């Protein structure tokens, strides 16, 4: 078991896929939220973690890297067994259907995601909006964000933008179209840690 303990507090070891994207910012956010971050660059490193964050970046570039050394197959097995959180490009990789254009994915999240739906880098935005999380409005940083066009019946919508989901959860899977690691608000990472802990307990 890879979880460490501090008294009665369970401290998960959470991996961050460190191929591209701001994985260091995710690691900092996890540390502040109470987890042990682990940068994951090889498929064998997946065995030592309790959950995984797939960060933003370019989803097609992710797929090219993951095609090497059996990484994609190892990641496919992982996301079907352990908690996984995808942000921006990570959200695209988790979705069952990807559009604009279509591409391969891990197909574990019952959602349809449209790539670059909000425009180019210049169309990036920082918004504050209400969510289903406690604590008031949440700061959301969007950078060439995808759009979740459809979710399945088993998917819980935790936040929206212009009527479209931007933070969703389905079982052990959490996904966001924004970048919570670029905000000082750690509630989304805390939500993922709580999900990991509840999965380990049960």
């Amino acid at each position: 078991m890879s979880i460490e303990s501090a008294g009665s507090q369970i401290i998960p070891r959470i991996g961050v896929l460190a191929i591209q994207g701001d994985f260091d910012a995710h690691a900092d956010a996890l540390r502040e939220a109470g987890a042990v971050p682990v940068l994951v660059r090889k498929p064998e490193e997946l065995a030592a973690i309790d959950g995984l964050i797939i960060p933003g970046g370019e989803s097609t570039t992710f797929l090219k890297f993951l095609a090497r050394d059996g990484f994609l197959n190892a990641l496919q097995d992982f996301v079907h067994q352990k908690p996984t959180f995808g942000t921006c490009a990570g959200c695209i990789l988790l979705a069952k259907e990807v559009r604009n254009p279509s591409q391969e994915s891990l197909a574990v999240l019952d959602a349809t995601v449209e790539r670059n739906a909000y425009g180019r880098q210049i169309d990036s935005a920082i918004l504050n909006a209400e969510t289903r999380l406690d604590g008031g409005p949440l700061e959301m940083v969007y950078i060439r964000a995808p759009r979740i066009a459809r979710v399945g019946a088993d998917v819980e919508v935790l936040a929206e933008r212009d009527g479209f989901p931007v933070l969703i959860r389905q079982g052990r899977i959490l996904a966001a179209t924004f970048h919570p690691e670029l905000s000082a608000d750690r509630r989304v990472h805390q939500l993922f840690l709580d999900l990991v802990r509840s999965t380990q307990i049960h």
Side-chain angles (χ1 to χ4, degrees):
M1 188 173 181
S2 57
I3 285 185
E4 302 173 9
S5 296
S8 59
Q9 180 69 34
I10 298 174
I11 305 177
R13 290 172 53 84
I14 306 296
V16 183
L17 192 59
I19 293 174
Q20 63 165 349
D22 202 345
F23 46 83
D24 284 330
H26 273 295
D28 290 342
L30 286 168
R31 198 173 292 109
E32 291 175 18
V36 176
V38 179
L39 298 182
V40 175
R41 294 186 173 93
K42 299 178 182 178
E44 57 268 25
E45 293 170 334
L46 293 170
I49 57 176
D50 304 299
L52 177 70
I53 292 179
I54 304 176
E58 173 53 53
S59 56
T60 54
T61 302
F62 266 122
L63 288 171
K64 289 178 183 178
F65 277 102
L66 292 172
R68 305 172 183 174
D69 304 321
F71 208 151
L72 188 61
N73 290 335
L75 188 58
Q76 187 82 59
D77 291 340
F78 183 94
V79 299
H80 279 94
Q81 297 174 30
K82 292 188 178 183
T84 306
F85 176 24
T87 63
C88 201
C91 175
I92 295 171
L93 288 175
L94 292 174
K96 284 189 175 180
E97 183 181 11
V98 180
R99 297 176 180 171
N100 193 31
S102 63
Q103 69 178 44
E104 184 181 5
S105 71
L106 296 168
V108 70
L109 176 63
D110 189 5
T112 299
V113 177
E114 299 172 343
R115 299 175 59 205
N116 300 327
Y118 292 100
R120 303 179 182 179
Q121 193 90 9
I122 195 171
D123 298 303
S124 301
I126 300 176
L127 305 176
N128 287 277
E130 294 291 341
T131 72
R132 295 187 62 182
L133 306 181
D134 293 333
L138 179 72
E139 182 182 67
M140 303 177 189
V141 180
Y142 294 93
I143 303 174
R144 294 181 61 200
R147 177 165 57 207
I148 299 172
R150 178 202 64 84
V151 294
D154 294 332
V155 177
E156 181 182 9
V157 177
L158 300 175
E160 295 183 348
R161 174 185 178 184
D162 301 329
F164 291 95
V166 296
L167 179 62
I168 59 176
R169 176 172 57 196
Q170 180 183 9
R172 295 185 298 271
I173 304 299
L174 185 67
T177 62
F178 56 94
H179 291 264
E181 77 280 8
L182 299 182
S183 169
D185 193 323
R186 297 307 184 210
R187 279 179 289 165
V188 178
H189 286 84
Q190 187 63 60
L191 174 66
F192 184 56
L193 263 61
D194 291 344
L195 178 61
V196 173
R197 289 190 178 106
S198 66
T199 301
Q200 291 292 334
I201 291 171
H202 296 100

